[in-house]
Amino acid sequence: MENSILNQVKNELTELGKSVGEIGKLRLIGIISRVLGLFLLILTVVLCVLALFTFGAVAAIDAMSACMPVWAAALIIGSAYIVLMVLAILCRRPLFINPFIKLLSKQIKSEEELALKIMEAEHKVELQHVRMRAQVENVTREMNFYAGLITRAWRAIKRLFQLKDGKK
């Protein structure tokens, strides 16, 4: 009986550890994907800004020159980079964050799914905690029962010996 209770507690602790590990893994995926997404966004914006400054400088030099079509082309390309920067900022989740979530988890495709998985894992941990508490309470009750039973038996044996010694 003790072995089955210990094995059950051991299994419950194993399940609890797995559930807590799953929460940690999912939260780590969320953090890493946000960090990498933000890093790539910053890198993209910095590169676009550098390209914009380069083309702006070329456009300013060409604007001062006599050849009009060169600076017009440079301004068009510069404006195209501005549009690309705006698109990168507006579409940062589908372009940067969600692909990293999908890459890191192989099952989850978006932040919303990741949040749902985290909630499921947290619920699993809560259930494990409730089961563990119930197991501990059951074991405590059984131990208290057996301790009380042994104490009563000991007192009864003690009284019997006292009665025998008192009658002699």
Side-chain angles (χ1 to χ4, degrees):
M1 182 156 152
E2 283 182 30
N3 253 351
S4 68
I5 291 173
L6 290 177
N7 284 335
Q8 193 173 7
V9 170
K10 182 178 138 184
N11 290 338
E12 292 290 331
L13 282 174
T14 304
E15 288 296 318
L16 178 64
K18 286 179 183 177
S19 298
V20 170
E22 183 72 17
I23 287 176
K25 176 185 163 190
L26 293 172
R27 285 190 178 167
L28 186 65
I29 288 171
I31 291 168
I32 289 173
S33 65
R34 284 189 193 101
V35 168
L36 288 175
L38 186 59
F39 172 73
L40 286 176
L41 175 66
I42 290 170
L43 181 67
T44 303
V45 170
V46 167
L47 289 176
C48 287
V49 166
L50 288 174
L52 179 67
F53 286 145
T54 302
F55 285 113
V58 170
I61 291 170
D62 285 339
M64 291 181 223
S65 71
C67 192
M68 268 312 234
V70 175
W71 69 266
L75 288 177
I76 290 172
I77 291 174
S79 63
Y81 274 100
I82 290 174
V83 169
L84 286 176
M85 284 185 345
V86 169
L87 284 175
I89 291 171
L90 292 177
C91 301
R92 68 182 175 270
R93 282 188 181 183
L95 289 176
F96 303 115
I97 296 174
N98 291 345
F100 280 107
I101 290 174
K102 187 176 179 183
L103 177 73
L104 292 172
S105 71
K106 296 179 183 166
Q107 296 170 352
I108 304 168
K109 294 179 176 74
S110 67
E111 272 188 296
E112 291 78 22
E113 282 185 51
L114 181 64
L116 287 173
K117 289 285 186 180
I118 289 172
M119 285 175 43
E120 285 177 19
E122 287 174 345
H123 179 68
K124 210 176 199 182
V125 167
E126 287 178 30
L127 287 175
Q128 292 296 328
H129 278 289
V130 169
R131 285 185 192 142
M132 287 301 297
R133 282 189 201 127
Q135 289 291 333
V136 168
E137 287 174 6
N138 286 339
V139 169
T140 304
R141 268 191 235 119
E142 280 187 36
M143 292 301 220
N144 287 339
F145 173 75
Y146 289 128
L149 194 62
I150 290 170
T151 303
R152 288 181 193 156
W154 180 254
R155 286 181 187 160
I157 292 170
K158 203 173 168 183
R159 283 185 198 145
L160 282 175
F161 282 116
Q162 285 176 351
L163 287 176
K164 283 185 182 180
D165 289 338
K167 288 185 178 179
K168 288 184 180 180

